[in-house]
Amino acid sequence: MTYTLPPSHSSKSYLKQKDTKSKLSIERRKIKKYLKEHQSSYTTIQYLQKRGVDFVFSMLLFIFMLPVALYAIYRIKKESPGPIFFKQTRVGLKGKTFTCYKFRSMHHNSEFNPYTQKCDSRIFPFGQIMRKMRIDELPQLFNILKGDMHLIGPRAEWDILVDKYAKIIPNYHARHTVAPGITGLAQVLYPYGCNTQDARNKLRYDKIYIRSWSLKLELQIVWRTINVILKRKGQ
């Protein structure tokens, strides 16, 4: 969800925000330099296989989940006034940012917090159902078709958190040698992350996925994702 920090008119606050933006810009240049020196982890054949999985499963999801998506739009309008979708800047392949689309599951203009907590009061009732069943992720099919994301890959992380993690987690940039995914090995084997240590642990799964990629692993993750959805293990 896109959050807006409360505006401040003090010169001190303005200078602090300007300094923060400058530091983030420097950190992102470091990320791009690192990734420029590291080629994509997929061979041409592997990339074509991944895109094949992307298109086949994305089209199947679109066809079978269209009624669910339309119902979600109805419930969002009914339970929580505000936009149907929310947009957030995420970091993708080679550290490039893109706009990620999701169904809004939190009340509009909720309190700023980069992490979702258990029983989070910002989430409206049907929003909780969407998150557990991953329905809120359906608009990201557009990101897949655009080429911003794959169906499977490391989680597309918020740019603000990426800047934070890159400073304190060694080799965090390695996860950006491939495009992110709606689901992935870390997403199905590790609980929802809510702190820096979780990000550190999930990075290990991302590295295993990148090093061990195969079409078989890809399909196994699809199957595990279906089980997560059916058992409502999302957050």
Side-chain angles (χ1 to χ4, degrees):
M1 183 173 183
T2 302
Y3 299 100
T4 303
L5 295 174
S8 172
H9 300 288
S10 69
S11 59
K12 185 177 179 181
S13 177
Y14 172 77
L15 290 173
K16 185 177 180 181
Q17 290 176 9
K18 189 174 181 181
D19 183 56
T20 299
K21 289 181 179 179
S22 177
K23 289 179 180 178
L24 294 182
S25 178
I26 293 172
E27 189 61 35
R28 285 172 191 163
R29 284 201 295 269
K30 289 180 181 178
I31 293 173
K32 289 181 179 180
K33 181 180 178 182
Y34 172 92
L35 294 170
K36 191 175 181 180
E37 297 169 356
H38 293 74
Q39 298 300 316
S40 173
S41 296
Y42 303 129
T43 65
T44 301
I45 297 299
Q46 289 175 334
Y47 178 77
L48 291 175
Q49 289 176 326
K50 275 192 71 67
R51 287 307 280 169
V53 171
D54 290 344
F55 282 109
V56 170
F57 282 96
S58 292
M59 294 310 297
L60 288 174
L61 278 171
F62 178 79
I63 293 170
F64 288 106
M65 298 299 288
L66 182 58
V68 176
L70 293 175
Y71 180 69
I73 292 172
Y74 163 73
R75 289 294 297 270
I76 294 169
K77 286 183 176 180
K78 182 179 180 181
E79 293 190 11
S80 179
I84 299 299
F85 304 98
F86 73 82
K87 300 179 290 184
Q88 190 177 69
T89 301
R90 302 286 179 102
V91 178
L93 178 65
K94 301 296 182 184
K96 295 179 180 178
T97 57
F98 66 95
T99 301
C100 182
Y101 300 91
K102 299 180 74 174
F103 281 130
R104 182 172 59 84
S105 59
M106 294 185 179
H107 292 295
H108 190 45
N109 292 328
S110 297
E111 179 185 357
F112 174 77
N113 187 337
Y115 299 110
T116 302
Q117 307 299 323
K118 191 173 183 179
C119 300
D120 200 313
S121 62
R122 297 172 298 169
I123 304 174
F124 55 87
F126 188 71
Q128 189 65 54
I129 294 174
M130 286 196 295
R131 295 173 77 95
K132 283 186 175 296
M133 301 189 71
R134 306 289 176 91
I135 295 170
D136 61 321
E137 311 277 2
L138 287 177
Q140 290 180 46
L141 293 176
F142 176 68
N143 289 115
I144 292 177
L145 296 177
K146 271 184 64 185
D148 297 325
M149 300 174 65
H150 288 302
L151 179 68
I152 299 166
R155 173 182 166 82
E157 196 57 86
W158 191 13
D159 61 339
I160 294 176
L161 290 178
V162 168
D163 291 322
K164 172 186 174 181
Y165 296 150
K167 294 176 182 177
I168 56 181
I169 301 177
N171 205 27
Y172 186 76
H173 312 316
R175 68 194 305 278
H176 300 127
T177 57
V178 298
I182 292 181
T183 185
L185 190 64
Q187 292 93 306
V188 298
L189 294 182
Y190 193 86
Y192 188 89
C194 59
N195 53 52
T196 301
Q197 185 57 45
D198 285 337
R200 195 188 307 272
N201 293 336
K202 295 186 84 167
L203 177 61
R204 297 192 184 105
Y205 287 97
D206 292 335
K207 289 180 178 179
I208 291 172
Y209 170 77
I210 293 170
R211 287 198 307 265
S212 309
W213 189 90
S214 69
L215 186 57
K216 180 181 179 181
L217 177 61
E218 200 87 340
L219 297 177
Q220 286 175 336
I221 294 173
V222 170
W223 176 247
R224 283 181 175 271
T225 301
I226 293 172
N227 286 331
V228 168
I229 293 172
L230 294 178
K231 294 177 181 178
R232 298 188 180 188
K233 291 183 178 180
Q235 181 172 323

